[in-house]
Amino acid sequence: MDKPPALVKKDRFIIIFYVLYFGWLLLTTYLSRDDFYNNLLISFVVMIYFIFLNETFDLFLFLGITLLSYYLMGKLYGYPGIVFTLESIKTMPLWIYISWGFTAVALKKLFSMIIRRVEI
């Protein structure tokens, strides 16, 4: 049985978005060392995702995993409380925590897309 055209079109957008996201993540982790630009790029990618491809509970999952990764990294490396100032945000690698949260959302969507294809 053929899938409705809307599902195929949406799946195509999701696949293209994830190829771009994981390509960006790979390039960022190996080629770029400037945390300020990495923070800007990941913020732009996440903003585009939440504008165009947002689903139910994606924001809660994203925020939960992002805050959990921030908390666990602080416990793991023993960071004291960080004061957020403009100068500390420019040098802080926030893109790492945001990438963990966004990767969790990406995996959730990938698994739901696979399950949806298997069920049809």
Side-chain angles (χ1 to χ4, degrees):
M1 181 155 78
D2 290 31
K3 293 177 79 170
L7 281 179
V8 173
K9 186 175 181 181
K10 185 176 181 183
D11 288 349
R12 190 173 301 139
F13 282 135
I14 291 170
I15 291 170
I16 290 169
F17 186 78
Y18 288 140
V19 166
L20 291 174
Y21 169 69
F22 286 113
W24 167 84
L25 188 59
L26 182 69
L27 289 175
T28 298
T29 55
Y30 290 109
L31 297 179
S32 179
R33 298 288 180 222
D34 190 0
D35 289 330
F36 179 70
Y37 291 117
N38 289 340
N39 291 341
L40 285 178
L41 284 173
I42 190 65
S43 300
F44 180 71
V45 169
V46 169
M47 183 179 66
I48 294 297
Y49 172 81
F50 281 113
I51 289 173
F52 294 111
L53 296 172
N54 189 21
E55 287 185 1
T56 308
F57 298 113
D58 281 352
L59 183 62
F60 297 115
L61 179 65
F62 170 74
L63 290 175
I65 298 297
T66 301
L67 294 175
L68 181 68
S69 68
Y70 180 75
Y71 174 75
L72 290 176
M73 289 294 281
K75 287 294 183 183
L76 182 65
Y77 291 110
Y79 291 144
I82 296 174
V83 178
F84 289 104
T85 62
L86 184 58
E87 194 58 40
S88 69
I89 289 176
K90 285 183 180 179
T91 59
M92 185 183 298
L94 293 174
W95 66 270
I96 295 172
Y97 312 117
I98 294 171
S99 295
W100 275 110
F102 196 68
T103 301
V105 172
L107 290 175
K108 174 200 163 263
K109 191 172 289 272
L110 178 68
F111 290 137
S112 68
M113 187 173 64
I114 290 171
I115 289 172
R116 190 172 60 234
R117 284 188 179 262
V118 169
E119 289 178 354
I120 290 181

